[in-house]
Amino acid sequence: MAEGPPRGRTPSPGPGGAPGPPSPRAAGAAAGSAGALSPPAAAASKWVRLNVGGTYFVSTRQTLCREPKSFLCRLCCQDGPELGSDKDETGAYLIDRDPTYFGPILNYLRHGKLIINKELAEEGVLEEAEFYNIASLVRLVKERIRDNENRTSQALFCVLQGPVKHVYRVLQCQEEELTQMVSTMSDGWKFEQLISIGSSYNYGNEDQAEFLCVVSRELNNSTNGIVKEPSEKAKILQERGSRM
């Protein structure tokens, strides 16, 4: 009865000196070793390392390619880069831009929101967004800059305008003069209150009721130190007010 080769030893060469087929156990071990190398290689191709102005950033290829026409997508797209770029000794893509403003750019590609730290200028983020050709981000930053400018203009207008001041006058008039007085209320004068003070004297057989009329207007008759002369109707109100 013939005996086979000892276990754990390599089979003897076949006819003509050619090695014989490997044993099933050896073939399975070789296949397992090859399969163990695949996942790390796939994971390595998923991540991209960037050297932006001397600062390293790491992100996924999917994130960088979120905007198909952007500089970053053309730099490291998986189908083959459209743009050539040097790499440093670590294999990171070299990008000669300000790393301080690259953070908001990368975060926008990650979650689609524009987040800018207080110490960063929105104009700087806009400059980088235009360089990296991220159209949606460019529109978003421009809208925010425009909104901030509008709010600043409104706040400045309120500061320059200051609180509104009013001047008040109390006019004494008789009942028959009320209609004429109301008709002369112009130039910004507003009726505030009418107070009856009873009858001061008799005129013929009728009592002449008298009233106090309170009027007001905004105090804006001075511009750049030049005081405007009151109009004729305003002078009438002033004369009637001097009767008090």
Side-chain angles (χ1 to χ4, degrees):
M1 182 175 179
E3 295 182 358
R7 293 184 178 180
R9 295 183 181 179
T10 303
S12 58
S23 64
R25 181 178 297 176
S33 300
L37 296 177
S38 298
S45 63
K46 176 182 177 181
W47 293 91
V48 178
R49 186 177 174 88
L50 304 173
N51 183 345
V52 182
T55 302
Y56 287 97
F57 295 86
V58 179
S59 183
T60 63
R61 199 177 301 273
Q62 180 181 4
T63 296
L64 298 177
C65 295
R66 196 174 298 276
E67 290 278 344
K69 296 182 180 180
S70 68
F71 170 87
L72 296 172
C73 181
R74 297 175 62 193
L75 180 68
C76 56
C77 57
Q78 198 165 8
D79 297 335
E82 299 180 11
L83 297 177
S85 176
D86 295 333
K87 295 183 179 181
D88 63 9
E89 62 277 3
T90 66
Y93 289 98
L94 289 168
I95 302 177
D96 187 20
R97 301 296 294 184
D98 188 349
T100 305
Y101 288 94
F102 185 72
I105 303 294
L106 184 57
N107 286 332
Y108 175 78
L109 294 176
R110 285 169 173 161
H111 47 60
K113 297 180 181 180
L114 175 59
I115 301 176
I116 304 177
N117 295 334
K118 294 181 180 180
E119 61 271 13
L120 297 182
E122 293 170 338
E123 289 77 6
V125 178
L126 176 61
E127 184 70 23
E128 297 305 299
E130 291 177 342
F131 171 80
Y132 292 108
N133 195 29
I134 305 176
S136 59
L137 181 57
V138 170
R139 290 193 298 269
L140 190 60
V141 178
K142 285 184 176 180
E143 289 177 1
R144 179 172 294 190
I145 293 175
R146 184 165 53 251
D147 292 342
N148 290 340
E149 289 177 348
N150 292 337
R151 284 195 293 268
T152 302
S153 299
Q154 293 175 358
L156 181 60
F157 175 77
C158 293
V159 171
L160 294 177
Q161 187 182 33
V164 178
K165 297 181 180 179
H166 292 80
V167 58
Y168 292 86
R169 291 191 180 278
V170 180
L171 309 178
Q172 183 177 1
C173 61
Q174 299 175 9
E175 184 177 0
E176 61 183 9
E177 296 176 326
L178 281 176
T179 303
Q180 182 183 1
M181 188 195 67
V182 171
S183 65
T184 59
M185 285 180 57
S186 60
D187 300 305
W189 288 97
K190 297 179 182 179
F191 172 79
E192 296 288 345
Q193 189 176 7
L194 183 66
I195 303 172
S196 175
I197 58 175
S199 300
S200 61
Y201 60 91
N202 291 332
Y203 183 76
N205 296 326
E206 297 182 358
D207 292 337
Q208 295 293 319
E210 292 198 353
F211 299 89
L212 296 179
C213 183
V214 181
V215 296
S216 70
R217 64 171 294 178
E218 291 184 5
L219 187 61
N220 58 356
N221 62 335
S222 177
T223 305
N224 295 329
I226 302 175
V227 179
K228 298 180 181 178
E229 291 293 332
S231 63
E232 292 298 325
K233 292 183 178 180
K235 289 179 179 179
I236 295 175
L237 291 174
Q238 292 176 359
E239 290 174 358
R240 292 184 177 180
S242 63
R243 294 169 52 186
M244 290 298 297

